[in-house]
Amino acid sequence: MSDEYREFSALMKRSAFTQAAAFAERQLVAVGDKSEFWLTQLSNALRESGNAKGALAAADKASTLSPRNAWALLARAEALVKLGRLGEALPLFEEALVDARAAQRARWGRLSALTLLKQWDRVITECASPNLSAAARPFRVKALHGLGRLDEAIVECESWLSEDGDSRQALWQMTELRIARDGLDEVLANMGRLAKIPGKPAVYGEIYASLCKRAGNSAKAADQYARLSRGNSSPDLLRKQAFALAKSGRESEALPIMEELLRLDPKDMYLHAAYTPACKRKGSLDRAHGFYAKLIILHPEEKSLYGRIKRLDREIAEAARDTDPQGGLS
């Protein structure tokens, strides 16, 4: 492993995907854009940063340089999955299976694509492969559910939980299965009781909050997320809390949380889509304008922020005209 690749890998492990992509681009410049290895790494970094189109373009270049390179094939397939072009991705995963080093990643990629395509019978067959570990169980449970074989799926999930008591993934899947079998109200009441048991992992409270939201009780969901986030600054929990607060009409509490999360991740389109309307409902478009002006200083590379400020300029001007249609003239 070269020093350059070590540095790139360290950036990827830290989820510094934009920096990793820039690093890979510098390596490519040094070799005249003629390295299938660095093109593949660039594709991986771009995909993880949310730029699936750029990732596909880089992977296509890598495959042109080395058509049988399994890692380039996988990079192309994974970019296509991100773009929703699953039918094109499947043959590439299958082609990559011939390389023993890449085979495991190719199998998981194929299994994920089949699951997204809801090809449940093929998922069941794939999960039976001796080349896949017990980690394929979530896919099998999802496929059984998809086929309407609820009792089998629940038995499988119970076996999973007996081996891994409070597995987050198993608990979430079991919740969905029980809702399908018993109905939301019964599962909501049961999860509410479990979430109150001292010492239970936080996942029970998270599931309960999610079920409250699903049942239409956004206020209770927001309160539950608030309890969970005390002493736990997980961005995911805070994000859910902010959405629940905004939906229950508590924008004054939601906005500071949204702003903090956007400072951490200015690419979060869902947060952006919720933030400005929440400001608008509060009559605080000036607040949004000021926040985005400061966010650009923190993240000057995030070009979409300039467009958001321009849209806010138009909305503020329109609001002013609506308030004073004569433009202040007497």
Side-chain angles (χ1 to χ4, degrees), residues 22-264:
F23 184 88
E25 284 177 330
R26 289 196 295 274
Q27 305 311 306
L28 278 166
V29 168
V31 294
D33 208 31
K34 297 294 183 184
S35 166
E36 66 270 21
F37 175 81
W38 281 111
L39 281 165
T40 299
Q41 305 316 315
L42 173 60
S43 177
N44 292 334
L46 289 171
R47 182 189 68 248
E48 294 302 321
S49 73
N51 184 356
K53 287 183 180 178
L56 181 59
D60 283 344
K61 287 181 184 177
S63 294
T64 299
L65 288 173
S66 182
R68 295 187 178 182
N69 185 310
W71 305 109
L73 289 170
L74 286 173
R76 282 186 69 204
E78 288 162 358
L80 286 165
V81 167
K82 287 284 188 181
L83 290 167
R85 293 159 60 181
L86 302 165
E88 295 173 65
L90 272 175
L92 297 174
F93 284 125
E94 286 159 10
E95 195 175 343
L97 285 169
V98 299
D99 187 322
R101 299 168 304 162
Q104 191 73 345
R105 181 169 152 191
R107 287 189 190 95
W108 287 117
R110 180 170 65 177
L111 187 53
S112 297
L114 289 170
T115 300
L116 289 168
L117 286 165
K118 299 184 178 180
Q119 294 190 12
W120 304 128
D121 289 319
R122 288 188 67 185
V123 171
I124 295 286
T125 301
E126 190 76 15
C127 287
S129 168
N131 293 309
L132 289 173
S133 66
R137 185 173 250 161
F139 295 100
R140 177 172 164 77
V141 171
K142 188 177 280 286
L144 289 169
H145 188 180
L147 290 167
R149 293 157 60 179
L150 285 177
D151 290 340
E152 290 176 72
I154 287 171
V155 168
E156 183 83 23
C157 222
E158 285 171 344
S159 173
W160 181 5
L161 285 165
S162 73
E163 296 168 16
D164 188 3
D166 293 313
S167 162
R168 291 179 59 84
Q169 195 171 15
L171 286 166
W172 278 102
Q173 286 196 235
M174 181 63 92
T175 299
E176 293 300 330
L177 291 167
R178 286 182 172 153
I179 288 171
R181 186 188 67 182
D182 305 326
L184 176 58
D185 289 345
E186 183 174 330
V187 177
L188 176 62
N190 184 56
M191 192 56 67
R193 289 191 291 271
L194 289 171
K196 291 176 184 174
I197 297 173
K200 277 284 186 187
V203 64
Y204 290 91
E206 292 174 42
I207 294 173
Y208 178 56
S210 176
L211 295 179
C212 289
K213 187 176 176 182
R214 191 186 299 194
N217 195 336
S218 296
K220 186 174 280 188
D223 290 340
Q224 179 66 24
Y225 284 127
R227 280 194 289 274
L228 290 166
S229 61
R230 289 182 197 125
N232 181 352
S233 56
S234 156
D236 184 53
L237 268 181
L238 290 172
R239 192 172 183 272
K240 290 173 180 174
Q241 182 188 359
F243 284 134
L245 286 166
K247 193 164 185 180
S248 62
R250 293 156 65 182
E251 286 88 354
S252 296
E253 297 169 71
L255 290 173
I257 300 173
M258 289 181 177
E259 289 167 354
E260 183 58 33
L261 291 169
L262 284 168
R263 288 185 195 100
L264 294 171

